[in-house]
């Protein structure tokens, strides 16, 4: 009897232990499942965040006004029929006897460079020439002028050339309208009261007719992407190591030009021959947004006065805009390549949107450029 009671007691104890073990296993399994769910939830959050962080955003696209494109000359919005039409590059004299000049206030880019003796001449690039009644006076070209006009894929209007420029102008690289090879009667006219050789002028109407008559394509090549880089709307160029530049004096021998900065409109106003440089066609003073000083080596052609200015290769210079100046270097690959300008950090400069004036300065006179 005692043995039976003892056996029942042992069985009860065993059953109690088994029940306790089962209860413990149940709690352990529940805790394990909850832990697993917690781990799973924890792992899921970073995956979602990672996707959010690495998701690609669509690049902002520039809002293009209807029917407009960026001008390759100024970086501004212009009608497509203007902005994709090749510009006219016109060779203009700038000696005292050729004053006053006509049409230059409408030019978008002007290159100014010394010629023989103390003469200075312009290559003026016109995007909007249609309504101009007078442009000039027009003179003959030099070798480096041919290289300037090619950088903008322009159509070149000139009245003759030095003999050393002939292979470049007539070698198939340039689309030229030359006043001494038959174009004088329909591409140019003489201004009454002007003495020779400062009496040759052209107009927007004559430019259009000449391009059509010569059979030149008046549209940019599809491969053309422009010469300069420009700051975006509402932005200004990056100017490392900048110094003040309210007055810029270039010191060409004959005309002794200088520019004065107007902070109200951000323009540099042009002076020469001891007074404002005016456009006689509209009585407007010439002005620009950007000035580039490009210092170049040179030589004379044999024993002549004609200059061979080395605008290919590389050299030093200055970039001036917004009342500031920075040192730059320039590089041009080959005679027919495009000139690029770089700041002190090796970045290609961006210009302010607007007109640009490039002054070619011979190395021996670089120290005479005064900027303050």
């Amino acid at each position: 009897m005692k043995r039976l009671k003892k056996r029942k007691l042992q069985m009860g104890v065993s059953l109690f232990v088994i029940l306790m073990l089962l209860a413990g296993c149940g709690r352990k399994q529940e805790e394990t499942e909850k832990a697993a769910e917690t781990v799973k939830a924890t792992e899921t959050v970073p995956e979602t965040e990672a996707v959010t962080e690495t998701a690609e955003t669509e690049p902002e696209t520039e809002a293009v006004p209807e029917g407009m494109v960026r001008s390759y000359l100024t970086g501004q919005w212009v009608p497509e029929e203007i902005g994709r039409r090749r510009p006219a590059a016109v060779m203009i004299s700038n000696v005292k006897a050729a004053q006053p000049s006509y049409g230059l206030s409408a030019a978008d880019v002007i290159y100014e460079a010394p010629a023989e003796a103390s003469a200075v001449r312009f290559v003026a690039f016109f995007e909007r020439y249609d309504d101009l009644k007078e442009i000039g006076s027009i003179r003959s070209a030099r070798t480096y002028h041919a290289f300037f006009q090619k950088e903008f894929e322009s159509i070149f209007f000139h009245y003759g050339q030095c003999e050393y420029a002939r292979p470049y102008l007539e070698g198939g690289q340039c689309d030229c309208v030359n006043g001494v090879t038959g174009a004088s009667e329909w591409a140019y006219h003489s201004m009454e009261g002007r003495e020779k050789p400062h009496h040759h002028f052209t107009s927007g109407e004559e430019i259009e007719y000449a391009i059509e008559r010569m059979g030149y394509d008046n549209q940019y090549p599809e491969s053309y992407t422009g010469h300069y880089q420009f700051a975006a709307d509402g932005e200004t160029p990056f100017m490392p190591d900048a110094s003040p530049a309210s007055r810029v004096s270039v010191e060409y021998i004959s005309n002794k030009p200088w520019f004065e900065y107007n902070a109200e409109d951000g323009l540099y106003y042009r002076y020469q021959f001891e007074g404002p440089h005016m456009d006689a066609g509209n009585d407007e003073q010439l002005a620009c947004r950007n000035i580039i000083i490009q210092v170049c080596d040179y030589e004379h052609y044999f024993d002549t006065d004609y200059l061979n200015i080395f605008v290919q290769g590389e050299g030093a210079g200055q970039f001036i805009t917004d009342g500031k100046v920075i040192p730059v270097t320039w590089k041009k690959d080959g005679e027919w390549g495009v000139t690029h300008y770089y700041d002190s950090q090796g970045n290609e400069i961006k210009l302010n949107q607007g007109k640009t004036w490039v002054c070619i300065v011979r190395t021996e006179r670089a120290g005479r450029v005064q900027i303050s």
Side-chain angles (χ1 to χ4, degrees), residues 9-25:
L9 180 62
Q10 289 175 346
M11 289 176 65
V13 172
S14 299
L15 180 60
F16 177 77
V17 172
I18 291 171
L19 290 173
M20 292 297 292
L21 288 173
L22 289 174
C25 289

Side-chain angles (χ1 to χ4, degrees), residues 85-251:
R85 179 179 67 178
R86 296 170 67 193
V90 185
M91 192 76 234
I92 297 180
S93 177
N94 195 42
V95 297
K96 184 70 171 177
Q99 302 307 308
S101 56
Y102 285 75
L104 281 174
S105 63
D108 300 290
V109 177
I110 295 177
Y111 273 67
E112 183 173 17
E116 56 277 3
S118 61
V120 177
R121 294 186 182 178
F122 301 132
V123 181
F125 294 84
F126 297 87
E127 191 169 59
R128 299 174 183 265
Y129 50 76
D130 309 73
D131 297 330
L132 295 178
K133 303 301 181 184
E134 301 285 357
I135 306 173
S137 69
I138 300 174
R139 291 302 307 275
S140 58
R142 302 293 178 261
T143 306
Y144 41 94
H145 297 137
F147 303 146
F148 296 154
Q149 65 84 32
K150 183 63 176 177
E151 294 197 41
F152 296 87
E153 289 294 341
S154 65
I155 298 170
F156 194 24
F157 288 76
H158 59 100
Y159 215 99
Q161 68 283 312
C162 73
E163 190 62 30
Y164 306 104
R166 189 182 298 276
Y168 299 95
L169 295 169
E170 299 178 356
Q173 291 282 356
C174 301
D175 287 345
C176 299
V177 182
N178 190 347
V180 300
T181 58
S184 60
E185 296 181 1
W186 40 266
Y188 303 95
H189 63 273
S190 295
M191 177 176 281
E192 187 176 349
R194 284 293 185 104
E195 296 184 1
K196 297 180 179 180
H198 309 296
H199 62 300
H200 300 302
F201 285 75
T202 191
S203 66
E205 184 178 352
E206 287 168 315
I207 287 173
E208 286 188 273
Y209 179 75
I211 293 171
E212 182 179 356
R213 177 160 177 162
M214 295 292 290
Y216 295 142
D217 189 347
N218 72 345
Q219 298 295 301
Y220 283 110
E222 291 185 5
S223 59
Y224 188 67
T225 57
H227 186 311
Y228 299 131
Q229 295 187 27
F230 293 96
D233 293 342
E235 296 182 358
T236 56
F238 176 56
M239 302 279 283
D241 308 317
S243 300
S246 295
R247 191 179 192 277
V248 181
S249 175
V250 183
E251 287 295 324

Side-chain angles (χ1 to χ4, degrees), residues 101 105 277-286:
S101 56
S105 63
H277 190 172
M278 308 299 292
D279 183 338
N282 57 11
D283 199 31
E284 180 179 320
Q285 186 175 0
L286 305 189

Side-chain angles (χ1 to χ4, degrees), residues 219-347:
Q219 298 295 301
Y220 283 110
E222 291 185 5
S223 59
Y224 188 67
T225 57
H227 186 311
Y228 299 131
Q229 295 187 27
F230 293 96
D233 293 342
E235 296 182 358
T236 56
F238 176 56
M239 302 279 283
D241 308 317
S243 300
S246 295
R247 191 179 192 277
V248 181
S249 175
V250 183
E251 287 295 324
Y252 291 122
I253 297 173
S254 61
N255 59 329
K256 294 182 171 57
W258 75 94
F259 299 83
E260 292 184 4
Y261 180 61
N262 184 339
E264 292 184 3
D265 59 12
L267 298 178
Y268 283 88
Y269 286 83
R270 162 92 175 186
Y271 297 80
Q272 65 172 11
F273 297 116
E274 300 182 351
H277 190 172
M278 308 299 292
D279 183 338
N282 57 11
D283 199 31
E284 180 179 320
Q285 186 175 0
L286 305 189
C288 61
R289 190 76 194 275
N290 308 290
I291 303 171
I292 296 175
I293 308 293
Q294 183 174 335
V295 180
C296 302
D297 292 329
Y298 75 101
E299 65 180 8
H300 288 275
Y301 279 110
F302 304 105
D303 58 350
T304 71
D305 289 333
Y306 290 114
L307 299 176
N308 181 19
I309 299 179
F310 300 123
V311 295
Q312 65 276 1
E314 57 185 67
Q318 289 131 323
F319 169 47
I320 302 148
T321 194
D322 289 337
K324 297 179 288 186
V325 56
I326 61 170
V328 296
T329 55
W330 62 267
K331 294 182 180 180
K332 177 180 169 75
D333 294 331
E335 294 169 333
W336 302 111
V338 171
T339 306
H340 298 278
Y341 303 90
Y342 302 91
D343 64 27
S344 59
Q345 298 182 9
N347 306 303

